[in-house]
Amino acid sequence: DCVARDNPYLATGADCGDVLGRDVAYPPLLYWSFVWTRHISLSAGALLWAAVSLVLTLASLFAWAAARQRDAWTVVFIGLLMLQFPTLFQLERGNSDVIVIAAWTIAAYLFSSRRYAGSGAAAAFAAAAKLYPAIACVVVGLGVLGWALRDQRGRRPLLFFTAGGVLMATLVLVVFLEQNLRFFLETLPARAEWVAAPSVYGHSLEHLAPWGATWVLIVPLVATWSIAAARLVPRHSPWAFAGALALSTYVFPSSFDYNLITAYPLLLLQFLRVVRASGHRVDAAWLIYLALLLTGLVAIVGNRSLFDSSEDMLRLHVLLQFAWLMLSGIVAAIWPTASAADGSWSGLQADSSGDTRERPAT
């Protein structure tokens, strides 16, 4: 309803009647993906988007579980995830991270089915919508680069994945050129200076970093998962995509827990690893993944009242999430074959040599 609705970066949130005076803080692609709301009432838009959010989240999680993994235990686990704080928080806020998880799910599936250009394009679309998936793109990209360096059969997938991503990013940049320039040169720098206070519904690493040097935590986290991705691609690429997405929301000064739905795919794969272990044997790998799963559940969807008694407890909550991500990446990096038991999209994975001859890399 704002007079600046065709270029929201020219007006403040107060000018456009936002209750809290918040300016548009997201890229043009995300803003224009909601152009359909101009034609309906606010209440109708809220209800419709809530329904779409639930459907997209459910569809994405079932896609990660793969068709033959949709047994009763998996359905129950996914159903319970849908009742947890991050899911309900995104519904309450009308949040848009579901666009990211849907696009990233498509990217992971296309990569597993050897449609590398489409995978890169879907990954770039997610990054163009909300920025933080750009970190996930870097992690996966380094993983594909690692594949190409150790095996010449990975060079063609690297080329197509990169080309698809560059083409999508260029398309989005050109279509919204003026608004993208204004966003990246003015809106984003101003937004980057804002640091949210510690809260029970936030998970920024800013409050854990010594002397405010967040890179001390971010660099090891990204490096660990990049090494893991290089070892996981191509045989267990869903793990690489899931881990990369899970860590990506932690790199900005302000991160709120409605975007922790991006950690759900990694939690789901760990759950499948536990319940689908070969022969249901209780061995070292099974115990390690059980410990990771339980830690992740407490850290990501655990009751927030466990951590809201003091500012130190709030930091402990974020530290627990960071530890889960780091340990998950370390296990994946040093023991990638332990991820094989979940079977997600396994029928679409390359064999142990990374052979892609059955279908051309496109």
Side-chain angles (χ1 to χ4, degrees):
D1 297 322
C2 183
V3 67
R5 66 180 188 170
D6 289 336
N7 194 339
Y9 306 101
L10 296 178
T12 66
D15 293 335
C16 291
D18 182 74
V19 175
L20 299 179
R22 297 163 296 184
D23 302 341
V24 172
Y26 297 109
L29 178 62
L30 183 67
Y31 175 79
W32 285 101
S33 69
F34 283 91
V35 69
W36 54 271
T37 58
R38 294 181 178 183
H39 309 292
I40 57 179
S41 67
L42 176 61
S43 58
L47 289 173
L48 181 58
W49 181 241
V52 170
S53 295
L54 286 173
V55 170
L56 285 180
T57 304
L58 270 174
S60 298
L61 291 177
F62 276 116
W64 284 93
R68 56 185 170 182
Q69 297 293 337
R70 297 173 194 166
D71 57 12
W73 286 111
T74 304
V75 172
V76 169
F77 185 79
I78 291 175
L80 290 175
L81 283 181
M82 297 299 294
L83 298 175
Q84 303 310 310
F85 181 79
T87 315
L88 301 181
F89 197 9
Q90 70 144 342
L91 290 177
E92 187 267 335
R93 290 297 178 96
N95 190 246
S96 53
D97 291 289
V98 67
I99 295 175
V100 170
I101 192 174
W104 198 254
T105 300
I106 293 171
Y109 175 80
L110 290 176
F111 192 95
S112 293
S113 58
R114 306 187 186 108
R115 296 178 176 89
Y116 301 111
S119 176
F125 182 91
K130 294 214 69 172
L131 292 188
Y132 66 78
I135 303 299
C137 291
V138 170
V139 171
V140 172
L142 290 174
V144 182
L145 176 62
W147 177 22
L149 291 176
R150 73 171 183 267
D151 188 339
Q152 64 178 2
R153 286 171 293 191
R155 297 174 186 173
R156 190 174 175 87
L158 175 63
L159 174 62
F160 279 101
F161 182 81
T162 304
V166 170
L167 286 174
M168 175 60 73
T170 302
L171 177 63
V172 173
L173 177 63
V174 170
V175 170
F176 306 109
L177 182 59
E178 179 187 352
Q179 293 182 22
N180 272 311
L181 291 175
R182 188 174 295 275
F183 171 78
F184 283 106
L185 295 178
E186 299 177 12
T187 304
L188 184 59
R191 177 70 174 180
E193 294 179 356
W194 180 64
V195 180
S199 67
V200 74
Y201 51 82
H203 58 275
S204 172
L205 295 179
E206 189 80 20
H207 306 294
L208 295 182
W211 313 292
T214 316
W215 62 268
V216 173
L217 300 174
I218 294 174
V219 170
L221 185 60
V222 171
T224 297
W225 269 104
S226 296
I227 294 170
R231 302 203 66 195
L232 291 164
V233 174
R235 286 195 67 206
H236 312 305
S237 59
W239 284 85
F241 276 83
L245 183 63
L247 70 87
S248 62
T249 66
Y250 289 81
V251 300
F252 286 94
S254 301
S255 298
F256 297 109
D257 286 0
Y258 39 62
N259 60 35
L260 283 182
I261 62 170
T262 56
Y264 283 5
L266 183 58
L267 282 174
L268 179 57
L269 291 187
Q270 290 179 346
F271 170 79
L272 292 173
R273 176 62 183 84
V274 170
V275 300
R276 292 297 181 183
S278 179
H280 299 283
R281 294 176 299 175
V282 178
D283 55 12
W286 188 87
L287 290 173
I288 288 172
Y289 273 94
L290 177 62
L292 288 175
L293 174 63
L294 295 177
T295 302
L297 288 174
V298 173
I300 302 299
V301 302
N303 194 306
R304 265 53 185 175
S305 64
L306 297 173
F307 304 98
D308 67 352
S309 58
S310 68
E311 201 166 289
D312 287 338
M313 289 299 294
L314 297 178
R315 290 190 175 92
L316 177 62
H317 188 203
V318 179
L319 180 61
L320 187 63
Q321 295 174 44
F322 176 79
W324 171 66
L325 288 168
M326 279 292 295
L327 291 172
S328 296
I330 290 170
V331 169
I334 65 177
W335 205 2
T337 55
S339 303
D342 72 280
S344 294
W345 298 326
S346 57
L348 300 172
Q349 300 296 329
D351 63 25
S352 59
S353 66
D355 193 355
T356 59
R357 289 175 296 180
E358 294 181 8
R359 179 185 299 162
T362 56

